[in-house]
């Protein structure tokens, strides 16, 4: 069975440890974790290390740490000629140390500790500098995901920016919706079917075809009523900018 | 069986006609439609009228037309002492003609013609000026929805603003994500699992607990990389404003 080592103990690392362990096709030989407690429920403690000198020699290392630590961690790996992958949306594979074959293993999902996800449904973007290793990397990704796609470092950066818009910023708009509900004694749960339907729509319609609302109709009466209602300067500024963007760009 | 008349032929009117017709508990006696063709597939043509003089006398009228036409339509109803409801998020019930008992029947959902929705899952906010009619209005709403809640005109306005954020603006962020994908030769479908999971998360976590991403981490390196990537002034302005809002408000 293919042995891999995962470096990191945050959200992405934890989801990868669980997914590979459950795959039955890949063995997580070791996890490097500065904070062993955070992953002790996921893997036998004998396999958790916090010193690179104890690192086991395996064919594949996956670095799932914060972007700013990735380059240095890749230098700390005391082997060469291995496959070393990072999971970052923002970094190029050339940010990794060149002594190993560099690549990316980018699961496109929002991970939080308290919410389980089905890894098989998560698209994984792969990139590797040597074409001869591509099939192996693809096989590795398919052990935990049904959706594996090739992507360049430039495309991955674009995808990461797009993900910030459709996930991080979208979630912040949910937060604003919740704030407005709370302030007006309305249970936020009332908005949930609308939120789920809005997301579900774009599996059948393009976002342009799915767009509704006062901005889409250029309904200035309602828009002005809403802006008067939004005494809060920050929410009003967001309302104005997004309304203008819908009117200008559809 | 309770008879009602629906006035309007747009998205909301069409979904109401279908939902009440399928309820088996309420009879749609007539539909007033300036454009009969748009609803001819939903109701027998003998029940479609375009002249208020032909309006049948029934206990309940639901006005599902554009906000700016609601007041005038309510004046055109040649009866008094009936229940007259509008479906607007923005208007107060006092915007209706006072000769009838005024109320609101507000389905909180995004309706588009080409996407079916299960009306039973749609929350319906109800309001009526005479308390003695409240139970009847609630019964009417429960014939097509499992989720009926009382709401004042002021709360409805707040909910409508919140809905613009979590639905209309969210969909526009999907559009921006799609634009970025298209420009970089990435299939937009790759973002769909992320979009669905982001929406699903808030059924289990508060939006604050669910927030992830560079702004949440105050990861200025990634934020600056993304802003450089976004040559487009409009997308960059949205990125900046929403990033600042997440940093300032969590």
């Amino acid at each position: 069975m293919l042995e891999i080592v995962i470096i990191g103990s945050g959200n992405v690392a934890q989801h990868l440890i669980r997914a590979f362990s459950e795959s039955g096709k890949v063995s997580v030989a070791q996890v490097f974790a500065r904070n062993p407690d955070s992953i002790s429920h996921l893997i036998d403690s004998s396999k958790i290390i916090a010193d690179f000198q104890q690192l086991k020699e395996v064919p594949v290392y996956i670095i799932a740490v914060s972007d700013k630590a990735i380059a240095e961690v890749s230098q700390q790996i005391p082997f060469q000629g291995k496959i070393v992958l990072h999971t970052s949306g923002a970094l190029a594979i050339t940010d990794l140390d060149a002594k190993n074959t560099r690549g990316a293993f980018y699961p496109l999902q929002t991970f939080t500790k308290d919410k389980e996800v089905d890894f098989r449904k998560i698209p994984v973007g792969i990139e590797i500098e040597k074409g001869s290793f591509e099939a192996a990397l693809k096989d590795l990704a398919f052990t935990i995901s049904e959706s594996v796609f090739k992507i360049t470092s430039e495309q991955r950066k674009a995808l990461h920016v797009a993900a910030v818009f459709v996930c991080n910023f979208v979630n912040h708009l949910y937060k604003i919706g919740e704030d407005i509900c709370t302030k007006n004694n309305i249970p936020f749960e009332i908005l949930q079917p609308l939120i789920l339907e809005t997301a579900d729509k774009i599996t059948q319609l393009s976002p342009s075809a799915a767009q509704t609302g006062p901005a889409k109709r250029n309904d200035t009466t309602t828009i002005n009523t809403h802006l008067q209602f939004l005494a809060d300067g920050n929410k009003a500024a967001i309302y104005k900018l997004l309304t203008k963007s819908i009117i200008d760009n559809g």
Side-chain angles (χ1 to χ4, degrees), chain A:
Chain A
M1 198 184 298
L2 175 67
E3 287 195 315
I4 67 169
V5 166
I6 292 171
I7 300 173
S9 54
N11 283 330
V12 176
Q14 290 185 31
H15 280 93
L16 286 176
I17 295 166
R18 183 180 287 119
F20 280 117
S21 299
E22 290 173 356
S23 74
K25 291 174 182 164
V26 172
S27 164
V28 180
Q30 257 183 352
V31 176
F32 180 97
R34 295 217 185 275
N35 177 11
D37 288 348
S38 62
I39 54 162
S40 56
H41 59 298
L42 292 173
I43 194 158
D44 192 85
S45 62
S46 67
K47 293 182 175 174
I48 304 175
I49 60 162
D51 178 352
F52 281 105
Q53 298 311 312
Q54 300 171 353
L55 205 64
K56 190 169 175 182
E57 190 170 355
V58 295
V60 179
Y61 297 84
I62 300 181
I63 303 177
V65 302
S66 68
D67 283 8
K68 63 179 184 295
I70 286 175
E72 200 212 318
V73 163
S74 75
Q75 288 155 20
Q76 299 267 2
I77 295 173
F79 306 108
Q80 51 189 20
K82 311 299 182 186
I83 293 176
V84 174
L85 312 167
H86 70 60
T87 59
S88 165
L91 297 193
I93 60 173
T94 49
D95 288 310
L96 293 165
D97 191 307
K99 69 188 169 192
N100 288 296
T101 300
R102 301 168 292 184
F105 190 98
Y106 179 50
L108 187 67
Q109 191 49 278
T110 168
F111 296 107
T112 38
K113 286 207 173 71
D114 299 329
K115 172 83 165 65
E116 291 218 8
V117 286
D118 178 1
F119 214 106
R120 299 212 60 76
K121 304 295 178 197
I122 299 176
V124 175
I126 55 166
E127 178 184 8
I128 190 139
E129 61 180 328
K130 285 185 191 159
S132 56
F133 286 109
E134 195 182 290
L137 180 52
K138 199 173 271 186
D139 287 349
L140 176 68
F142 271 121
T143 64
I144 60 171
S145 169
E146 293 164 0
S147 169
V148 178
F149 58 100
K150 277 175 63 178
I151 192 164
T152 66
S153 287
E154 268 307 300
Q155 283 178 314
R156 187 154 33 78
K157 191 191 282 185
L159 196 52
H160 191 227
V161 177
V164 168
F165 278 93
V166 306
C167 168
N168 305 149
F169 290 166
V170 159
N171 185 74
H172 187 59
L173 297 185
Y174 298 160
K175 165 77 162 60
I176 291 174
E178 182 188 48
D179 285 350
I180 294 170
C181 283
T182 304
K183 202 174 163 192
N184 291 277
N185 298 311
I186 303 163
F188 177 57
E189 289 68 32
I190 288 176
L191 285 174
Q192 285 179 3
L194 178 63
I195 286 171
L196 293 172
E197 171 67 11
T198 303
D200 192 56
K201 257 189 181 184
I202 55 88
T203 63
Q204 295 183 35
L205 301 173
S206 76
S208 298
Q211 188 68 53
T212 56
K216 170 73 175 178
R217 299 190 301 271
N218 210 343
D219 173 355
T220 48
T221 309
T222 302
I223 291 167
N224 289 330
T225 309
H226 286 179
L227 285 171
Q228 280 180 347
F229 175 87
L230 289 166
D232 176 309
N234 178 54
K235 291 187 179 63
I238 293 170
Y239 189 103
K240 270 184 208 168
L241 187 60
L242 290 173
T243 293
K244 184 177 181 312
S245 185
I246 292 171
I247 292 172
D248 292 348
N249 307 296

